[in-house]
Amino acid sequence: MSRARRPMTEPAAEAAIDQACRALRLPTMRTRVNDLATAAEKEQLSYRGFLAELLIAECDDRDRRRSERRIKAAGFPRQKWLSDFDFDANPNISSAMINTLATCGWVRNGEPLCLVGDSGTGKSHLLIGLGAAAMAGFRVRYVLAAKLVNELVEAADDKILNKTIARYGRVDLLCIDELGYMELDRHGAELLFQVLTEREETNSVAIASNESFSGWTKTFTDPRLCAAIVDRLTFGGNIIETGTGSYRLAHAHQKNLAMAAD
């Protein structure tokens, strides 16, 4: 015959909750249980209601931490959200198309994305914003084109090229920024081509370039290799031309005019 359990004192209950939360790795429940218990008493929640509030708080916080880890792992240089993008300032860009891309169907389908336009037209903002598909559960990596090529060259020198290419091949979305800002020698261009080939029709690549495709021969000086790279990045993909008018320059001009008026 089992012996009836004595009621716990409040200090004993708090100690037991703290110990159990530590053992079960429930940090949010451990830190918020007292506040939520006080709120539950005021709102006269049932036991189930109080338990639901605790579990929801833990799940929400885990989702937040998971998203933060993905964003950090992606290597974004700064936070840029699509909700902050000023579509009115750049009529070349369709908000409907960006909203469709934000659903990440193209990432699921392994399609490429090209953002092409002059400096200051919002390419990097959109690239990073769409790259925040990491928040939806995708593995994302952001890298500058020159940095990626340098890493590949060093990997080739260190005899770990295949390992490095495989690492870039595994992510669901590879965001390459500032493609076209500098000329690549044939060796660097060939290494970049290997990364693109590794991902072709399997995992998505998104690039931002200040050069139109016809001007990519300045970056990839071998015409045949240039044509092959353009083909890898455009076949079955999404192309957005952000135009030539610099939003940053226009914004700075408007700010100067406002300051002068004051």
Side-chain angles (χ1 to χ4, degrees):
M1 190 172 178
S2 60
R3 182 179 298 178
R5 178 177 295 180
R6 288 184 179 181
M8 277 192 181
T9 63
E10 283 297 307
E14 289 182 4
I17 291 170
D18 185 87
Q19 183 178 0
C21 286
R22 289 178 186 274
L24 296 172
R25 297 182 180 178
L26 302 171
T28 304
M29 290 180 65
R30 183 173 65 84
T31 56
R32 297 197 58 190
V33 61
N34 290 335
D35 291 340
L36 289 175
T38 300
E41 289 176 354
K42 290 181 179 178
E43 297 171 13
Q44 296 184 332
L45 291 181
S46 65
Y47 293 130
R48 289 185 178 87
F50 170 53
L51 179 59
E53 291 290 336
L54 271 178
L55 293 173
I56 289 171
E58 184 67 45
C59 290
D60 287 348
D61 204 42
R62 285 192 179 188
D63 287 343
R64 179 187 59 78
R65 293 196 303 271
R66 191 179 298 116
S67 295
E68 289 176 352
R69 286 195 299 271
R70 290 194 185 109
I71 293 296
K72 184 177 181 179
F76 296 126
R78 52 198 172 277
Q79 289 187 348
K80 293 287 186 180
W81 308 112
L82 295 177
S83 57
D84 298 328
F85 191 81
D86 189 352
F87 290 99
D88 292 333
N90 196 333
N92 295 299
I93 301 171
S94 166
S95 60
M97 184 175 186
I98 298 301
N99 290 334
T100 298
L101 290 171
T103 63
C104 303
W106 61 287
V107 180
R108 282 187 287 272
N109 296 332
E111 299 170 2
L113 168 68
C114 297
L115 297 157
V116 181
D118 284 358
S119 297
T121 56
K123 300 184 305 299
S124 292
H125 189 142
L126 292 175
L127 184 68
I128 294 171
L130 290 169
M135 303 285 283
F138 297 104
R139 293 168 299 175
V140 178
R141 186 76 173 89
Y142 169 97
V143 65
L144 297 177
K147 184 177 180 181
L148 173 58
V149 171
N150 288 338
E151 183 179 349
L152 294 171
V153 170
E154 291 175 3
D157 292 340
D158 295 337
K159 312 298 183 185
I160 56 170
L161 179 61
N162 289 338
K163 182 179 179 181
T164 303
I165 289 177
R167 174 161 50 82
Y168 278 106
R170 283 193 296 270
V171 295
D172 300 305
L173 172 60
L174 176 60
C175 300
I176 304 176
D177 205 353
E178 297 186 4
L179 185 65
Y181 279 80
M182 61 183 298
E183 179 182 320
L184 301 177
D185 62 24
R186 182 179 178 84
H187 181 49
E190 288 175 344
L191 294 176
L192 178 59
F193 180 70
Q194 288 186 50
V195 171
L196 300 178
T197 300
E198 178 79 9
R199 303 181 58 80
E200 185 180 14
E201 297 185 25
T202 303
N203 293 323
S204 292
V205 175
I207 65 100
S209 175
N210 66 314
E211 283 283 356
S212 62
F213 298 120
S214 61
W216 280 22
T217 51
K218 300 174 187 176
T219 300
F220 307 103
T221 54
D222 183 310
R224 294 181 62 184
L225 184 57
C226 180
I229 288 175
V230 171
D231 181 67
R232 291 289 189 279
L233 291 172
T234 58
F235 180 72
N238 307 276
I239 301 173
I240 298 176
E241 296 182 356
T242 59
T244 58
S246 172
Y247 167 77
R248 287 197 297 266
L249 184 61
H251 181 72
H253 181 62
Q254 291 177 355
K255 184 177 180 180
N256 289 338
L257 288 176
M259 291 175 64
D262 290 341

